[in-house]
C-alpha cells in the first residue's frame, strides 16, 4: 500500500509518500508560507527536485498542489490518486484521550478539537491538514498518530506536578511529553538491532534536535520523559529554555516590563543555546564559534551536554538501571563531539565510549566499547516511517 504521511503546521506542510511494502520513500516535500504567498519543494525519488512559487491561500490549496505533483506525468511518482491507500497524519497533542494511534472519524476529530486547548499552536493546524485531505481524498482512510500517545504509560509519580491536584483534575495540567513517535521508533529499533525483546530492555532515548527530549523506556513503555505539559520543559534546546525556576518569570517580567505571554515567547524562541550564546541555535554554528574562542558559545554547548547527562542519570534511577543509551535526531545522529561530551559524564553508569566507533554521522551503530556494561548507540529516527507503519496497522 502507498501511504501519504502529512505533518501540517500553521503555515507549512511536510509530506512523504511511502510504499509500505518496501518502506521506500517515493517522494517527499514541503509547502511553506501557506496563507502568505506559497512555495513548494517537491522531491520525487530518482527524479530532479521541483521548486516553485505557487499561491497557497490555504491548506486545501497546498494539499491540492501536492497531490497534483504526486500524480504529474513528469515529476509525479504515481499514476492516479487511487494508488494512495491511506493517509497518516502527525498530530501533536492527544491529551489523555489518545494512548495510541486512531482511525480518524468525525467523533475522533471532535475529541482532538477538545484537547486543542492544550496545544493551541499545533493541533488546530493539524486539524486543518486533516480536513483538507478529507475534502480532496474522500473515502481514503486516515489515521492520526499523536506525539503524546507513547507517553500515556507514564506512572502518576512521573506525570503529576507538585501543584494543587485540582489543576490536574480541572485543567489537565500534567506531564504529557512529546516526540513520542520518535522515542517509540528508536527504542523498538534498538531492540531489533540487538536481537533482543524490547520487554527485556531499559533504554534511555536522547532525541536531540532543535527541539530535544529524553525518554526512559522500560520494557518498551515510556515511564518518564523530559518534555512536560508543553515542549518547553526539560533540556536546554535550540531556542527553548528547558527547566528553570518559575519565580524567574515574574521577576524578569517586572524588570523588562513584559507580560506573561511575552515572557513565554522569550522562553520558547529567544532562549536555549541561542539565548545563552547570542550566536545561533544551530550546533554547527556554535561549534565553529567555540573553536574561534567565543566563550558563550562554548558554555552553551557545554550546558546542553551537562543537562542531557543529568537527565540520563535521573532516568537510570527512575528505571533502577539502564541497558542502552541511544542518540537520535539532528544533533544525536550527527554531532560526534556532543555525544562524547555527554558520555564523558556517564562513566559511573558503566558506559565506555569507543572514540573510533563514535566517528560516524547518521548511521545505526553501537558506539561503546566491547567491555562497556551499558551500551551507547546511534539510531537515526524516522518519524514518517513510524507514522506509515502505524497507519498501515490500523487500516
Ligand atoms: P528539528 O526536527 O527539531 O527541527 P533536527 O532533528 O532536524 O531538529 O535537528 C536539527 C539540529 O541538528 C540543528 O539545529 C543542528 O544543531 C543539528 N545538526 C545537524 N547536523 C549537524 C552536524 N553535522 N553537526 C552538529 N549538529 C548538527
Amino acid at each position: 500500500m502507498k501511504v501519504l504521511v502529512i505533518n501540517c503546521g500553521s503555515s507549512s506542510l511536510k509530506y512523504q509518500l511511502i510504499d509500505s511494502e518496501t518502506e521506500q520513500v517515493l517522494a517527499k516535500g514541503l509547502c511553506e508560507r501557506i496563507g502568505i504567498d506559497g512555495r513548494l519543494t517537491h522531491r520525487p525519488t530518482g527524479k530532479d527536485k521541483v521548486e516553485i512559487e505557487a499561491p497557497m491561500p490555504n491548506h486545501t490549496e497546498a494539499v491540492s498542489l501536492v497531490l497534483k505533483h504526486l500524480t504529474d506525468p513528469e515529476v509525479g511518482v504515481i499514476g492516479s490518486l487511487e494508488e494512495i491507500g491511506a493517509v497518516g497524519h502527525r498530530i501533536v497533542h492527544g491529551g489523555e484521550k489518545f494512548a495510541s494511534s486512531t482511525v480518524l472519524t468525525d467523533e475522533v476529530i471532535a475529541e482532538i478539537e477538545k484537547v486543542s486547548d492544550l496545544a493551541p499552536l499545533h493541533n488546530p493546524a493539524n486539524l486543518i491538514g486533516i480536513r483538507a485531505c478529507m475534502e480532496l481524498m474522500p473515502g481514503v482512510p486516515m489515521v492520526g498518530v499523536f506525539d503524546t500517545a507513547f507517553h500515556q504509560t507514564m506512572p502518576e509519580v512521573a506525570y503529576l506536578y507538585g501543584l494543587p491536584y485540582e489543576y490536574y483534575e480541572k485543567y489537565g495540567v500534567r506531564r504529557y511529553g512529546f516526540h513520542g513517535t520518535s522515542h517509540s521508533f528508536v527504542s523498538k529499533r534498538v531492540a531489533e538491532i540487538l536481537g533482543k525483546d524490547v520487554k527485556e530492555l531499559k533504554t534511555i532515548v536522547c532525541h536531540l534536535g532543535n527541539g530535544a527530549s529524553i525518554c526512559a523506556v522500560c520494557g518498551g513503555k515510556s515511564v518518564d520523559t523530559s518534555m512536560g505539559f508543553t515542549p518547553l520543559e526539560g533540556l536546554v534546546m535550540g531556542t527553548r529554555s528547558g527547566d528553570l525556576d518559575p519565580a524567574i518569570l515574574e521577576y524578569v517580567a517586572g524588570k523588562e516590563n513584559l507580560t506573561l505571554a511575552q515572557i513565554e515567547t522569550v522562553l520558547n524562541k529567544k532562549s536555549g543555546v541561542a539565548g545563552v550564546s547570542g550566536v545561533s541555535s544551530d550546533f554547527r554554528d556554535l561549534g565553529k564559534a567555540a573553536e574561534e574562542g567565543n566563550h558563550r558559545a562554548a558554555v552553551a554547548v557545554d550546558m546542553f551536554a551537562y543537562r542531557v547527562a543529568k537527565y540520563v542519570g535521573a532516568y537510570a534511577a527512575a528505571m533502577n538501571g539502564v541497558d542502552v543509551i541511544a542518540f537520535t535526531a539532528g544533533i544525536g545522529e550527527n554531532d560526534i563531539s556532543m555525544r562524547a561530551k555527554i558520555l564523558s559524564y556517564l562513566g559511573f553508569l558503566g558506559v565506555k565510549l569507543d572514540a573510533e566507533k563514535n566517528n560516524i554521522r547518521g548511521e545505526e551503530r553501537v558506539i561503546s566499547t566491547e567491555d562497556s556494561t551499558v551500551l551507547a548507540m546511534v539510531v537515526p529516527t524516522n518519524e514518517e516511517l513510524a507514522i506509515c507503519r502505524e497507519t498501515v496497522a490500523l487500516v
Side-chain angles (χ1 to χ4, degrees):
M1 183 197 293
K2 286 170 187 133
V3 177
L4 181 60
V5 175
I6 298 276
N7 181 353
C8 194
S10 56
S11 69
S12 72
L13 184 151
K14 288 188 211 150
Y15 63 94
Q16 282 197 9
L17 186 68
I18 300 175
D19 183 329
S20 66
E21 270 108 61
T22 60
E23 300 202 328
Q24 295 301 308
V25 176
L26 304 173
K28 62 179 169 182
L30 168 69
C31 298
E32 291 167 286
R33 301 177 61 83
I34 301 170
I36 305 166
D37 37 29
R39 184 185 307 142
L40 170 76
T41 312
H42 172 70
R43 298 169 193 273
T45 305
K47 296 182 184 179
D48 289 342
K49 88 168 171 194
V50 181
E51 271 176 299
I52 54 160
E53 311 276 325
M56 290 177 207
N58 55 50
H59 287 76
T60 311
E61 293 294 329
V63 175
S64 170
L65 205 64
V66 169
L67 298 178
K68 192 166 147 256
H69 279 76
L70 289 173
T71 51
D72 183 88
E74 263 176 48
V75 299
V77 291
I78 50 175
S80 82
L81 286 186
E82 265 130 62
E83 288 183 46
I84 299 177
V87 183
H89 291 271
R90 174 186 181 224
I91 303 174
V92 169
H93 218 305
E96 287 189 323
K97 179 80 195 172
F98 298 103
S100 59
S101 305
T102 311
V103 174
L104 295 169
T105 60
D106 289 344
E107 293 81 50
V108 169
I109 290 175
E111 289 292 343
I112 297 170
E113 250 163 8
K114 276 193 208 153
V115 297
S116 286
D117 194 26
L118 297 171
L121 294 180
H122 295 105
N123 273 30
N126 300 155
L127 284 165
I128 289 171
I130 291 168
R131 292 209 169 94
C133 288
M134 285 181 159
E135 189 183 328
L136 296 166
M137 287 179 272
V140 178
M142 314 231 168
V143 170
V145 180
F146 302 89
D147 269 14
T148 50
F150 182 59
H151 302 300
Q152 278 297 307
T153 47
M154 280 188 290
E156 275 177 311
V157 289
Y159 74 67
L160 284 176
Y161 288 111
L163 289 170
Y165 193 77
E166 67 198 75
Y167 296 168
Y168 165 59
E169 289 179 305
K170 285 202 284 195
Y171 313 123
V173 174
R174 52 160 284 176
R175 178 181 310 285
Y176 290 98
F178 298 87
H179 291 140
T181 312
S182 177
H183 289 302
S184 164
F185 179 89
V186 170
S187 54
K188 284 196 191 105
R189 190 69 202 129
V190 162
E192 275 168 21
I193 296 167
L194 299 177
K196 295 211 164 140
D197 187 341
V198 76
K199 293 203 176 74
E200 291 168 13
L201 284 177
K202 293 175 180 174
T203 301
I204 297 175
V205 180
C206 306
H207 178 112
L208 310 178
N210 204 15
S213 73
I214 303 204
C215 183
V217 186
C218 193
K221 289 186 175 161
S222 168
V223 293
D224 207 346
T225 190
S226 60
M227 283 179 170
F229 179 64
T230 75
L232 188 51
E233 194 181 345
L235 302 176
V236 179
M237 303 178 219
T239 61
R240 294 185 201 133
S241 63
D243 299 337
L244 78 172
D245 181 341
I248 294 168
L249 274 64
E250 210 208 338
Y251 182 77
V252 175
K255 297 277 179 203
E256 295 268 315
N257 200 17
L258 296 172
T259 64
L260 274 183
Q262 286 170 320
I263 289 279
E264 199 182 312
T265 305
V266 172
L267 298 182
N268 269 303
K269 303 213 161 129
K270 296 193 175 164
S271 302
V273 292
V276 172
S277 68
V279 172
S280 168
S281 61
D282 193 302
F283 278 74
R284 288 161 289 197
D285 301 338
L286 292 173
K288 209 162 146 264
E291 262 172 39
E292 287 162 3
N294 184 316
H295 173 69
R296 275 167 54 187
V299 173
V301 171
D302 288 347
M303 278 173 72
F304 182 88
Y306 179 67
R307 183 77 61 92
V308 172
K310 283 210 296 187
Y311 264 97
V312 173
Y315 288 170
M319 295 193 288
N320 192 17
V322 52
D323 301 308
V324 181
I325 300 166
F327 292 97
T328 196
I331 301 157
E333 291 167 29
N334 296 300
D335 196 330
I336 296 162
S337 70
M338 178 55 74
R339 291 193 299 254
K341 242 185 227 301
I342 294 166
L343 292 173
S344 71
Y345 288 101
L346 298 169
F348 78 97
L349 286 175
V351 60
K352 278 194 219 160
L353 181 70
D354 183 322
E356 215 161 284
K357 289 184 188 161
N358 186 37
N359 200 13
I360 42 138
R361 294 184 210 278
E363 270 175 51
E364 279 181 354
R365 188 187 279 182
V366 174
I367 57 169
S368 45
T369 59
E370 295 282 334
D371 63 341
S372 184
T373 49
V374 171
L375 296 184
M377 295 173 75
V378 175
V379 179
T381 190
N382 191 337
E383 287 167 280
E384 290 79 12
L385 180 57
I387 293 173
C388 169
R389 286 181 183 163
E390 290 277 302
T391 303
V392 172
L394 281 171
V395 297

